[in-house]
Amino acid sequence: MAEAKPEKLLVDGRRLDGRRPDELRPLRIKAGILKRADGSAYIELGKNKILAAVYGPKEMHPRHLQQADVAVLRCRYNMAPFSVEERKRPGPDRRSMEISKVIREALEPVLFLHLYPRAVIDVFIEILQADAGTRTAGITAASVALADAGVPMRDLVAGISVGKVDGTVVLDLMKEEDQWGEADMPVAVMPRRKCITLLQMDGNFTPQEFRQALDLAFKGVEQIYEAQKEALKEKYLPSLEEGR
Ligand code: CDP
């Protein structure tokens, strides 16, 4: 059943869940949780729960899909039927195909695809529970999963959405803000190089609000990047220290 629009999304500078405009939702990332994938990661961002799994690089089959000089990066973003309020019909749809495409484009710039001609790297992003910002949280998890798979990378990729609610620019929209707010702008960044690899926008910003939103996204990305590195250290530092 569709929920009614709350009268206000911001009261005395606080959002519906008590956050200030520049605060992220609680964030948790864990690297390497699936035994049978080459690399994997799990992320919780607020009520979002997302798994990312990586297979490869491995020889591409069928062979006619091989690229002679580079590896192909294949991404599949998929929402579980139980991940949203109204049961999601299983299988691909226009939205998931678009999101899979922009996720691939957001991740490609950090990979050295020319190192693996004729190969494929498969990235699966499974949305177990959705509460807005799933494409960006999916990118965050996928880049940790790629690192966990030992795929050489120039940088990680960290994603977050920014937007506008009740005339105020806010970080990390939750479902109600995504649904009822005035603007939603998912952004993905290579944190060390400060390069943007994804920027989409739904709604309107003034040029000044756009600048402010982008600054806020970069601040959010810094926190996400720290959590990504922590997740990888948590998995790999103990074994590195043992080997000393
Ligand atoms: O998740 P993201 O913000 O990247 O993408 P969106 O298309 O802006 O979707 C926003 C939110 O709407 C999702 O995260 C879900 O919580 C919700 N949604 C839904 O309830 N049912 C769908 N079929 C698709 C999205």
Side-chain angles (χ1 to χ4, degrees):
M1 202 174 67
E3 284 168 40
K5 180 182 188 306
E7 211 169 292
K8 282 186 163 190
L9 293 167
L10 259 179
V11 179
D12 296 333
R14 297 279 184 174
R15 296 154 71 177
L16 292 180
D17 57 1
R19 277 182 296 155
R20 298 212 180 270
D22 62 351
E23 270 181 72
L24 282 181
R25 289 175 283 185
L27 170 64
R28 192 164 76 95
I29 306 176
K30 194 149 175 60
I33 57 161
L34 299 173
K35 192 171 147 207
R36 293 191 184 85
D38 293 320
S40 58
Y42 173 67
I43 184 168
E44 284 182 6
L45 178 64
K47 293 184 203 145
N48 288 311
K49 297 184 177 184
I50 300 170
L51 263 177
V54 169
Y55 293 86
K58 59 185 180 181
E59 193 180 352
M60 166 72 102
H61 290 289
R63 294 177 81 166
H64 71 89
L65 294 178
Q66 291 182 354
Q67 300 259 349
D69 47 354
V70 287
V72 173
L73 178 65
R74 241 180 353 199
C75 293
R76 191 191 75 172
Y77 165 103
N78 180 53
M79 269 188 153
F82 49 80
S83 65
V84 283
E85 188 107 4
E86 221 165 277
R87 178 183 178 274
K88 154 82 174 66
R89 195 163 163 245
D93 53 22
R94 276 180 59 141
R95 175 178 173 277
S96 62
M97 284 164 72
E98 178 222 316
I99 294 180
S100 298
K101 173 185 179 284
V102 297
I103 288 177
R104 173 172 54 75
E105 290 168 349
L107 294 171
E108 266 174 353
V110 295
L111 300 175
F112 297 90
L113 294 175
H114 64 277
L115 292 179
Y116 306 102
R118 303 188 186 284
V120 59
I121 302 173
D122 272 317
V123 175
F124 295 93
I125 295 173
E126 298 291 326
I127 312 298
L128 308 176
Q129 188 167 287
D131 194 64
T134 59
R135 76 194 62 199
T136 42
I139 289 169
T140 299
S143 88
V144 173
L146 282 162
D148 182 45
V151 177
M153 295 163 81
R154 295 184 171 86
D155 200 342
L156 290 172
V157 185
I160 195 65
S161 83
V162 280
K164 184 165 62 163
V165 299
D166 292 355
T168 300
V169 172
V170 298
L171 180 67
D172 187 19
L173 305 181
M174 59 182 172
K175 178 73 174 51
E176 292 80 355
E177 295 173 329
D178 180 282
Q179 193 172 353
W180 307 114
E182 296 102 75
D184 169 21
M185 184 168 88
V187 179
V189 172
M190 295 160 67
R192 285 195 310 139
R193 297 179 172 226
K194 309 237 179 296
C195 286
I196 294 172
T197 65
L198 170 119
L199 196 148
Q200 297 183 288
M201 192 161 138
D202 188 9
N204 291 305
F205 280 135
T206 64
Q208 195 195 353
E209 285 165 349
F210 173 75
R211 191 70 251 170
Q212 201 188 335
L214 208 52
D215 286 347
L216 202 51
F218 273 96
K219 285 198 187 115
V221 156
E222 275 173 36
Q223 294 175 51
I224 292 165
Y225 181 45
E226 289 308 312
Q228 288 176 307
K229 286 188 294 185
E230 278 310 310
L232 288 164
K233 279 188 202 159
E234 195 186 322
K235 180 171 176 198
Y236 288 103
L237 261 191
S239 52
L240 283 178
E241 278 165 0
E242 256 169 45
R244 258 192 210 142

